[in-house]
Amino acid sequence: MNARRVFQTIDEISYWSGKAFAWLIVALTFVVSIEVFKRYILNAPTAWIFDLNSMLYGTLFMMCGAYTLAAAGHVRADFVYIYMKPRGQAALDLALYFLFFIPGILGLIYAGAGFAADSWRIGEHSTVTAEGPPVYQFKAVIPLAGALVMLQGLAEILRCIACLRTGTWPARLEDVEEIDVLDTQLGHSQYVDEESRIAVMEGAKAIDEAARHRSVMEGEIVHGTAPEDDGRKKP
């Protein structure tokens, strides 16, 4: 199995786990809605609902970390990075992964595993609210989420190495993005012709590529020319 196949397989694992745990937002919405009804209509609030909400949201937040990394969705200061060539970006990313990412995530996994083990051993319950629910299963999410992020980090390292060799970033898995929504909206608008729709979509895709660890091609994003345009002025 070559390196490209390895990081694509890891990408699929991260995408699957992120999309699976994303359904927790539905459960969280349902729980909050029921509690609002009980609290303000029936005047019968639930004592441990705050803990449950925190655990649902915390699990959602942590378990979607690998998915966000796979989609290159984490916040980054790219006011310099975006203008670098792909090999320069890959070299910088690779250095930062080894200097900060790997030690930090290893620390998260190690400390989280200790917290989880202690919590399971004593059968820990929350002390935040009355009748606090058990939290040991929630603390087990910490090392699990860290392991998934570390796995995706290894995929990102392989992606950087591939970019250093070829000079271009390997493609990421496709997913539903804001661009898809934009395309749908423009496609159903009676006020936008096909030529304008294509021009807008090309510009949006160019900006999206630049935001996803890609270098800005000469004049494309800065000056607003289309990706296939050579940037020269037309008579």
Side-chain angles (χ1 to χ4, degrees):
M1 183 180 292
N2 58 31
R4 185 179 297 269
R5 182 55 186 164
V6 170
F7 65 68
Q8 287 179 343
T9 300
I10 296 175
D11 284 348
E12 291 174 355
I13 294 173
S14 297
Y15 271 56
W16 177 85
S17 63
K19 291 181 178 181
F21 280 94
W23 284 99
L24 287 178
I25 196 65
V26 178
L28 181 59
T29 302
F30 177 77
V31 169
V32 171
S33 299
I34 293 298
E35 179 58 21
V36 168
F37 177 79
K38 290 182 61 181
R39 181 181 297 269
Y40 295 105
I41 303 300
L42 303 181
N43 195 28
T46 307
W48 44 263
I49 202 67
F50 177 80
D51 290 305
L52 178 60
N53 290 342
S54 298
M55 287 189 283
L56 286 174
Y57 180 73
T59 302
L60 170 68
F61 182 84
M62 290 189 292
M63 293 302 293
C64 289
Y67 170 87
T68 307
L69 183 58
H74 286 293
V75 175
R76 61 186 305 143
D78 59 358
F79 53 89
V80 174
Y81 178 94
I82 196 173
Y83 295 105
M84 299 172 66
K85 298 297 183 181
R87 280 195 172 96
Q89 294 177 337
L92 179 59
D93 279 353
L94 198 58
L96 294 176
Y97 274 117
F98 281 106
L99 286 174
F100 299 106
F101 178 87
I102 291 179
I105 299 302
L106 284 178
L108 174 66
I109 295 172
Y110 177 79
F115 286 135
D118 291 341
S119 185
W120 278 90
R121 185 171 60 252
I122 65 176
E124 183 181 8
H125 282 60
S126 173
T127 58
V128 176
T129 58
E131 303 177 12
V135 296
Y136 43 83
Q137 77 286 351
F138 176 54
K139 288 193 174 181
V141 171
I142 300 174
L144 178 58
L148 285 173
V149 173
M150 175 60 76
L151 183 63
Q152 183 59 42
L154 297 178
E156 296 303 312
I157 290 173
L158 292 176
R159 184 173 272 110
C160 290
I161 294 173
C163 181
L164 287 173
R165 290 176 176 175
T166 63
T168 58
W169 283 106
R172 294 182 181 272
L173 295 178
E174 295 294 332
D175 197 3
V176 177
E177 302 289 346
E178 288 84 354
I179 288 181
D180 300 311
V181 178
L182 178 63
D183 191 21
T184 301
Q185 292 175 337
L186 292 177
H188 290 82
S189 175
Q190 60 179 322
Y191 302 105
V192 180
D193 56 46
E194 184 64 16
E195 182 178 354
S196 299
R197 187 190 69 82
I198 293 175
V200 170
M201 290 306 303
E202 287 175 346
K205 288 177 181 178
I207 294 172
D208 185 65
E209 283 298 303
R212 286 174 172 272
H213 306 296
R214 305 299 188 264
S215 63
V216 179
M217 297 175 64
E218 290 294 332
E220 286 181 0
I221 307 302
V222 177
H223 302 295
T225 55
E228 71 276 8
D229 194 350
D230 59 8
R232 293 175 293 182
K233 292 183 179 179
K234 299 297 186 293

